[in-house]
Amino acid sequence: MKKLGMILGGVIGLVVLALVGGFTYLKSMDFNQYKGAIAEQAKAATGRDLKFAGDIKVQVSMTPSLSVEGVSFSNAGWGSRPEMAKLKRLDVEVALMPLLSKKVQVNRLVLEGLDLLAETDRQGKGNWEFAAAKSEAKPGEAPKDAGAPGEMPVVKMVRLKDIKIAYKDGKSGQTFNVGLDSLDVEADNPSAPLALNLAGTMNAVAYKVAGKLGSVPDLLAGKPMPLTLKADLLGVAAAVDGKIDRPLEGKGLDLGLKIDVPKLGETVKAAAALAPGLKDAGPVPAVPLAFSGRLADTQNGYAVGDMKLTLGGSDLTGKLAVALGGARPAVDADLASNLFDLDQLLPPQKDGGKAAPAGEGAKGGGAGAKGGRVFPDDPLPLDGLKAADAKVKFKGKKIVAQGYTLTDIAVDLTLTNGKLTVSPFGLTTFGGKVGGNLSLDGGAATPALALKLDVAQLDYSAVLKQVQGNDLVQNGKLDVALDVRGTGKSVRALMAGLDGQARVTTQGGKIASNALNIVSGDVAAILPFVKSEGDKDIKCGVLNFDIGKGMAKQRAIVFETGGLSVVGTGDINLATEGLNLRIEPRAKKTSVASLAEVPMLVGGTMANPDIKPDALEAGKAALGAATQVGAAVATGGLSVVGQKLAGAATGGGKVDETDYCTPALAGKVVTPEKPKESKSAGGGDKGLLGSLPGLGGDKPATPGGKAADKPLEGLTKGVKGLFGK
């Protein structure tokens, strides 16, 4: 035993002497002599020059370390500067004992003063594309130094300071700069989670990131990696909390997401420093934004569940999935909202929300333009329908847009290979329920449209008040039934071949006292001076057209009050936008007979209608009286004779007591009946107007007491005024 102890002691002594000698020898070595060899190897591998301006220092101890200063790596020959990368200092410290078992444990890695430029030339080639390294291996033969891959090193602490990374696009000339003031990645031990702290700038905009990741050994082994991060950039606070089941594959995501933006407008303005294109985005309201959801990967895409978005006073909840593996991206969404206020979110229009002046619309449009058309001939913008597939369900309690309020919105939308189907859709607005379905096949060679629209009890009196600011009608409710289909590459082409039916009906309501004030505020109305009860009550209004091959033919054009009936006939050519209508007013009582005996012809186009009395069909006496009314309405003359109208006796004329509403509302074809002659109760045969000074055969009165020289022209202007022209 004594000899064995002596032998072991001697062996240990020899080992110690060898280690001491090895350390002493390594310490005495000048590693700078290997600079040339290292540079040659780099040149052979990349075709670029690697230079060392400073020393290579090796510290031999139980924790050996390497220090390198002043390193530069040359750029491509076409590069914008000589060096692709410059490094001020690199320090690496490793543990000795793991090296004895061929394991690398990096206790500390410090990288300071890295200046890296990544750029492309005008053809898009990157300066990171190096010349192919020469190989002595024969085809099909592995290189001589090839072997089994070594075990990845374990790193306990990484510290980066004063890092500058720039990307320069040779095609656009734009440069993107990322600055890294500091990055600390540290673990208490090799199997402990990594703590991350990062601070820097992007195009001079500051950012911060902090959090924890899983351990390096678990990451390299492909084990699930927990992830908790918080970031601040451009006034945005973002947080991620969850795990990645297969981190090396980027699969198995289960991450909670949170984003808070106190002032969206200021954030977008600051983001323009990173993305110059945002400068043209227009003003963005400085409303708060908050988003939360759970991100997961799917078989061929990603999904966000439990989504909650608030934007100002608006909100959106639900789930959203995007599939990326097909011929085109596919979106699947199921969303809901209590309120979405677009007036708060969208910037106001430059014209204050007013419609463009006539003639200044899209190409081929503009009602007032010379030769203008209502239906534009521009190609329908359908390319976007082919960019993705979609399946979207949306339910909203309230949407506000341009001052209008929509409630109880429900939309079920699908988009497949360019074909858009919305079936069904529904909403409530102005007290009326709107519903229907739509199909638009934008993937066909010639786009095809099919639309069904049903509107029930829409308060059009409220619409007129909000849109035009008037009270022409009180308590008016409207129903619409539209069922049309057509094909064409523009709205004009669609209308030219349109088939189907369009029907608008109303019952009830009352014409306001100022309904016929056309020229000035003090012009007296016609109907208010008729003393019969119910003359301003609306019995019905019906517009019913059968549409075939772009021709809308009248089935019923009826408007009936307690004292008047208006019955129309004719058609509208949707291809040419030509009007061919005859409107016949009929008195239901002798009190208004003289006002309602002249049929009106509506010709011209939808953009420029031509409205004039049918003089050939009207009686001379009726024409004389009615044209004077038209002139008075057009010139303001009724303000002079209004009070006398109120007290005048009823006159003679033709009346039509036919019930036009019942057949019109039943969907039947309606044409005007032949009116019956009615005598006055004592007012002579001049009628209502004939009993008044200046209207019984003389020229009509004007506001200044002068007679109107062209009564027929006055009537035309007056009726056009009723149509808003």
Side-chain angles (χ1 to χ4, degrees):
M1 291 293 295
K2 187 175 181 180
K3 289 184 177 181
L4 178 60
M6 292 177 62
I7 294 172
L8 290 176
V11 171
I12 293 173
L14 289 173
V15 171
V16 172
L17 287 174
L19 290 174
V20 172
F23 280 130
T24 304
Y25 175 73
L26 290 173
K27 281 183 145 183
S28 65
M29 287 184 62
D30 182 7
F31 285 90
N32 289 297
Q33 62 182 312
Y34 297 106
K35 289 181 181 178
I38 297 173
E40 288 178 6
Q41 291 295 323
K43 182 80 171 182
T46 65
R48 307 277 183 87
D49 293 328
L50 180 66
K51 297 180 180 180
F52 298 88
D55 292 334
I56 300 177
K57 298 178 182 179
V58 176
Q59 180 68 38
V60 180
S61 66
M62 295 301 292
T63 53
S65 64
L66 169 70
S67 177
V68 181
E69 296 182 351
V71 182
S72 64
F73 184 68
S74 64
N75 201 358
W78 48 263
S80 60
R81 75 179 192 188
E83 299 88 4
M84 176 181 177
K86 294 184 289 185
L87 177 63
K88 182 178 179 181
R89 183 169 66 94
L90 170 65
D91 287 333
V92 181
E93 181 184 283
V94 299
L96 178 61
M97 297 308 294
L99 288 175
L100 299 178
S101 56
K102 298 183 179 180
K103 294 181 180 179
V104 179
Q105 177 181 309
V106 179
N107 291 336
R108 180 172 58 91
L109 188 153
V110 177
L111 189 68
E112 182 178 353
L114 174 64
D115 184 356
L116 174 65
L117 171 64
E119 60 181 333
T120 63
D121 61 14
R122 293 182 179 179
Q123 288 71 42
K125 182 180 179 181
N127 66 342
W128 55 87
E129 299 179 28
F130 306 123
K134 297 180 181 180
S135 175
E136 298 178 359
K138 296 179 181 180
E141 179 181 326
K144 294 180 180 180
D145 58 348
E151 187 173 348
M152 291 293 292
V154 174
V155 181
K156 292 183 62 176
M157 190 272 284
V158 175
R159 177 165 295 165
L160 278 63
K161 295 177 60 178
D162 190 23
I163 307 298
K164 297 177 182 178
I165 301 174
Y167 173 75
K168 185 175 183 180
D169 190 321
K171 293 181 179 180
S172 65
Q174 293 183 343
T175 300
F176 187 83
N177 295 289
V178 176
L180 189 61
D181 298 334
S182 64
L183 168 62
D184 292 328
V185 181
E186 190 170 0
D188 294 336
N189 56 70
S191 60
L194 296 173
L196 170 70
N197 282 283
L198 170 66
T201 59
M202 288 192 296
N203 280 4
V205 178
Y207 66 88
K208 292 191 301 183
V209 180
K212 286 187 176 183
L213 312 173
S215 68
V216 173
D218 286 349
L219 172 62
L220 297 177
K223 294 181 179 180
M225 182 180 71
L227 177 66
T228 302
L229 294 175
K230 292 184 178 181
D232 290 287
L233 173 66
L234 301 171
V236 178
V240 179
D241 187 8
K243 66 175 182 176
I244 305 175
D245 286 336
R246 304 193 301 278
L248 296 180
E249 303 173 41
K251 297 290 185 180
L253 303 180
D254 183 14
L255 302 173
L257 306 177
K258 287 186 178 181
I259 298 175
D260 288 298
V261 185
K263 295 183 179 179
L264 181 61
E266 294 183 6
T267 293
V268 173
K269 185 178 180 181
L274 302 179
L278 291 176
K279 294 180 180 179
D280 301 326
V284 176
V287 297
L289 178 150
F291 171 85
S292 65
R294 196 131 202 113
L295 175 66
D297 57 318
T298 60
Q299 184 175 1
N300 55 1
Y302 300 91
V304 179
D306 299 328
M307 185 176 69
K308 295 181 181 180
L309 170 70
T310 59
L311 189 58
S314 302
D315 65 272
L316 189 68
T317 61
K319 58 184 180 180
L320 173 68
V322 179
L324 305 173
R328 63 188 65 83
V331 177
D332 190 349
D334 192 346
L335 306 172
S337 173
N338 292 308
L339 169 66
F340 223 85
D341 189 345
L342 295 175
D343 287 351
Q344 181 192 35
L345 303 179
L346 298 179
Q349 300 179 16
K350 293 182 179 180
D351 58 1
K354 298 180 181 179
E360 296 182 11
K363 179 183 178 182
K370 184 179 180 180
R373 300 282 293 267
V374 171
F375 303 131
D377 198 28
D378 300 315
L380 293 170
L382 302 179
D383 289 342
L385 297 181
K386 305 172 188 177
D389 293 338
K391 184 178 180 181
V392 179
K393 290 184 178 181
F394 174 78
K395 290 185 178 181
K397 291 185 178 180
K398 184 177 181 181
I399 294 179
V400 179
Q402 296 188 1
Y404 300 103
T405 299
L406 312 177
T407 60
D408 302 325
I409 306 100
V411 177
D412 195 338
L413 177 154
T414 59
L415 176 62
T416 305
N417 198 25
K419 183 176 182 179
L420 173 67
T421 302
V422 185
S423 179
F425 65 83
L427 57 90
T428 300
T429 185
F430 289 102
K433 293 187 177 296
V434 181
N437 55 70
L438 175 146
S439 174
L440 176 59
D441 191 353
T446 302
L449 171 71
L451 172 64
K452 287 187 178 181
L453 178 67
D454 292 300
V455 180
Q457 294 297 288
L458 179 76
D459 189 347
Y460 71 91
S461 55
V463 175
L464 291 174
K465 185 173 183 179
Q466 181 163 334
V467 175
Q468 298 184 354
N470 60 45
D471 295 308
L472 294 180
V473 178
Q474 299 170 359
N475 302 320
K477 301 295 178 66
L478 197 70
D479 294 336
V480 178
L482 182 66
D483 186 355
V484 293
R485 57 210 161 271
T487 59
K489 296 183 178 181
S490 66
V491 174
R492 187 177 299 176
L494 279 168
M495 300 303 293
L498 202 66
D499 293 312
Q501 188 175 43
R503 187 168 184 259
V504 181
T505 61
T506 183
Q507 288 181 274
K510 189 173 184 178
I511 296 176
S513 297
N514 62 344
L516 296 180
N517 288 359
I518 298 170
V519 177
S520 62
D522 67 338
V523 178
I526 295 176
L527 290 178
F529 293 109
V530 179
K531 296 300 183 181
S532 300
E533 293 294 330
D535 285 338
K536 293 181 289 181
D537 293 340
I538 299 174
K539 301 299 182 182
C540 78
V542 179
L543 293 174
N544 195 351
F545 286 88
D546 292 326
I547 307 172
K549 296 182 179 180
M551 184 66 70
K553 296 182 179 180
Q554 157 266 336
R555 177 171 284 270
I557 302 175
V558 173
F559 182 75
E560 187 171 331
T561 70
L564 287 171
S565 295
V566 177
V567 185
T569 55
D571 53 55
I572 302 174
N573 190 327
L574 301 178
T576 64
E577 301 183 17
L579 303 176
N580 180 28
L581 301 172
R582 189 172 190 268
I583 308 298
E584 296 192 34
R586 298 295 182 92
K588 297 173 68 175
K589 299 178 180 180
T590 58
S591 59
V592 291
S594 296
L595 303 177
E597 294 181 354
V598 180
M600 304 300 295
L601 298 179
V602 182
T605 66
M606 297 172 68
N608 295 288
D610 180 18
I611 305 171
K612 58 186 178 182
D614 186 356
L616 295 178
E617 298 295 330
K620 291 183 179 180
L623 178 63
T627 53
Q628 292 172 52
V629 172
V633 170
T635 61
L638 284 183
S639 62
V640 177
V641 300
Q643 296 302 322
K644 294 183 179 181
L645 270 171
T650 59
K654 295 180 180 181
V655 297
D656 185 354
E657 299 177 353
T658 304
D659 175 13
Y660 291 105
C661 282
T662 299
L665 292 170
K668 297 182 179 180
V669 176
V670 177
T671 56
E673 298 289 335
K674 184 177 181 180
K676 299 176 181 179
E677 191 74 28
S678 176
K679 296 296 182 179
S680 72
D685 55 6
K686 285 187 177 183
L688 172 64
L689 300 178
S691 65
L692 299 175
L695 293 179
D698 299 329
K699 293 182 179 181
T702 64
K706 297 181 181 180
D709 296 327
K710 298 180 180 181
L712 186 61
E713 180 180 346
L715 176 60
T716 302
K717 291 181 178 180
V719 175
K720 279 191 175 183
L722 292 174
F723 284 83
K725 305 303 293 183

